[in-house]
Amino acid sequence: MATPFFIDVVLPIPIQKAFTYSITQEEATFLKKGMRVAVSFGNNSIYTAIVLDIHQNAPILYEAKEIHQILDETPIVSEFQLQHWEWIADYYMCSLGEVFRAALPSALLLESETVLFKNQAFEDESLLDNEEFLIFEALQHQSQLTIHQVSDILGKKKVMPVINQLIHKSVIYLKEEIYEQYKPKLEKYVRLHSHYSNDSSLEKLLSELANAKKQHAAVLTFFQLNTSKKAIKSKDLEKKAGISSAVLKALVDKNIFEFYHLQIDRISFQGSSNSLKDLNEFQEKALSEIKESFREKDIVLLHGITSSGKTEVYSKLIDEQLQQGKQVLFLLPEIALTTQIITRLQQYFGNQISVFHSKYSMNERVEVWHNVMENKPKAQIILGARSAIFLPFSNLGLIVVDEEHETSYKQFDPAPRYNARDAAIVLAKMHQAKIVLGSATPSLESYFNATQHKYGFVKLNKRFGEVKMPKIELIDLKEKQRKKQLKGHFSDALLQNIQEALDQKEQVILFQNRRGFSPIVECTSCGFSPQCPNCDVSLTYHKFKHELRCHYCSYQRAMPNSCGACGSNTLDTKGFGTEQIELELKALFPDFVIGRMDLDTTRGKFGYQKIIGAFEAREIDILVGTQMLSKGLDFDNVSLVGILSADNMLNFPDFRAYERAYQMMVQVSGRSGRAQKQGNVAIQTYNPEHLILQQVATTNYEEMFHEQLQERSKFKYPPYFRLIKITLKHKDYTKVDLGINWLFQALQGVFGEHVLGPSAPSVSRIRNQHIKNLVIKIPPKQSLSATKKQVQKIRDTFEAVKDFRAIRFVIDVDSY
């Protein structure tokens, strides 16, 4: 009898081990490592699994089941990826299945509970074969179908290929975030043709059009609108001049006006690529120093102050890699940033760029995945947020991690709790690629590694175009309050600065790191404050929808008219968020357009793009926003940045609070004074003498670095000691308390004084789960892998205790 064949597969579930299934000899010759197979697991559930190994050793402890079907013709996961996944699973102490689930776009992860919906935009039934049409028809009568139901409709088990085809043809979509289904509308703008740049040509033009009254009116109206220095929409011009679109088109045909579109579709880029910009002497010097460092080191930290033109330096490095036929990964911390960087890089590299992040629909993400796998020309440069490190690169030459200090690179929930910057360093090493970490305010760890000569280090400390660093002014709120010089949340000095900037037709950015109208609603009679029923946190008031909302679990309810405790109607709000600032500004500056950029206004795929596009086109005069604004956006007409309350960033229970506050304030300040003129920054604070604020005012990174480093050394924190944070969660407080105390004893027995805790976080209950933490500090000489083995052993013992089994046990390595 022939020896049977088996495969080991990884399933997208949090289980440590791989599972073995039996296959036929034909399947064994066809299958390759990295292909997907559909397998049943547990009670009749079907999962998509990835093949890890093909062999002839039967499992000892259980009877191997047969697989359902093979889903791929060729592997969709490369060897490099599997190695990288294994490193992430090992380093961040999670299962390979959790990494697999995070890495693959959900359209490639079909399972029996997956729910299918009809795409309303699909109309062409002629594209469907018989089986596909049966499912399409069923979805006309039912709003959704599960994979089990599809199996019943088609009368067969093997339905995955049909579903894959339907996803590919955009007939159906799977349940996930709601995406905007259509490409963005391109806004049509109008400008004067370049022939008419001087006054004499303009006079000639007006006399030529004297007889064509409507065209003459259109040109005059254009000049009136143009005085505001804002981009002019064609529909605005038609409305103001009282003309039809035909008149405007006639002027375009005569080469008097020309149309242009301001919003660019992200997926495909038509048009030729331009040559790269010439670098100035400081950028040239930085570029040659980076190349010099690359001879000896694979990692280089580029410390370039805000607006020093780091993107142009990256572009030159990217261009060199493309010449050698290599792929490039460009990581950004925030989806909002991709909007501007795409536009800039597309001018140089045209359609060699693909973008990958969670605001894209599934089909778009799958398309990018396949393009990278096949090393297609349109996927030579991948721009993306942290999840882009999971793509199947085969020929990576360079990784750029822009704004490397950003906390957004760290995934906090669910597992894998990886840091994309650190995972990218390992990925680059696997591909023998180079990596550039860029930031105006590097993280203490990276800067420390550079001072220890682990990384190459290059400095770029001149702003592009010789623009001076902004003038930073600290405004003492205590003093202003005493002298009654506050209007709402604005000091007279800040209001004066705003007015001056607006008079000069310049734009203003105001930063407040709280969204909503007011974080606390309080009854002035009895002091009661409405709390979230699921979390230990007060509800935030959102005035626009007149509701109270929890920013942790999204619970919401209408704003009450009277106090729930004593019944009096003396409800007052305390603290302020972006929404309140926006409303105050509208009252103070009624003739100007106020925009707001926070989590509430940037929902949907093109949410960021709409706001940033409008601000760039100068349709918004003052933009109020949260930390999204601090991340590398570049606006050339902003002359003032205001930070409304610096203190709530400093007073935060975290050993990184000062470092983060410094980074955020310097980054926000860097948005000011970009074109030819020195910008202004006004920081309102109750404590202007605070050391960090003084360091921000002088933009003295080195002083902040050395001071914080001393603190870290003294109190045994990174970069000297590593941290592993353990969190327990359960809805029963007593259980969590017993569990954390048991765990503390066990860990203290092994690690002694290096165990901190147990402690409750500042918000100690979220979604009805009570939370308790422990932190293990690992001294520099102690082996990290040996420490993890000990922690894993204690975790296994903990989970074997019957009373503790239901408690959620979360391990976060490098938990910062």
Side-chain angles (χ1 to χ4, degrees), residues 317-328 349 352 380-381:
L317 291 167
I318 291 169
D319 195 41
E320 277 179 23
Q321 293 299 326
L322 295 183
Q323 305 294 339
Q324 296 168 33
K326 298 270 195 185
Q327 292 170 313
V328 176
F349 303 112
Q352 291 174 290
Q380 292 306 297
I381 304 171

Side-chain angles (χ1 to χ4, degrees), residues 515-521 530-531 538-551 553-561 571 573 579 583 596 600 603:
R515 65 193 169 97
F517 182 84
S518 170
I520 298 167
V521 174
Q531 301 287 308
S538 59
L539 294 169
T540 301
Y541 174 42
H542 285 247
K543 192 165 189 170
F544 174 67
K545 290 190 169 170
H546 200 63
E547 68 183 12
L548 295 172
R549 198 184 298 166
C550 171
H551 287 176
C553 71
S554 300
Y555 165 86
Q556 59 204 63
R557 68 169 207 244
M559 173 74 172
N561 293 325
L571 289 177
T573 57
E579 199 184 3
L583 290 168
R596 174 159 59 95
D600 301 318
R603 309 250 178 226

Side-chain angles (χ1 to χ4, degrees), residues 514-515 518-522 528-542 548-557 574 652 761-771:
R514 279 262 162 85
R515 65 193 169 97
S518 170
I520 298 167
V521 174
E522 190 179 76
F528 172 75
S529 177
Q531 301 287 308
C532 172
N534 313 317
C535 314
D536 273 345
V537 70
S538 59
L539 294 169
T540 301
Y541 174 42
H542 285 247
L548 295 172
R549 198 184 298 166
C550 171
H551 287 176
Y552 287 86
C553 71
S554 300
Y555 165 86
Q556 59 204 63
R557 68 169 207 244
K574 287 223 160 100
F652 205 73
S762 47
V763 179
S764 59
R765 183 175 60 106
I766 295 176
R767 293 190 175 90
N768 274 325
Q769 301 271 317
H770 293 276
I771 305 167

Side-chain angles (χ1 to χ4, degrees), residues 780-796:
K781 298 274 186 286
Q782 191 174 311
S783 153
L784 188 61
S785 55
T787 306
K788 286 180 190 165
K789 280 196 182 104
Q790 291 280 15
V791 171
Q792 191 57 50
K793 213 183 267 178
I794 290 170
R795 178 184 185 162
D796 293 342

Side-chain angles (χ1 to χ4, degrees), residues 22-40:
S22 74
I23 50 171
T24 63
Q25 191 167 348
E26 291 75 44
E27 287 171 333
T29 50
F30 180 76
L31 277 169
K32 290 187 183 67
K33 196 171 173 179
M35 281 187 180
R36 291 175 308 155
V37 289
V39 296
S40 62

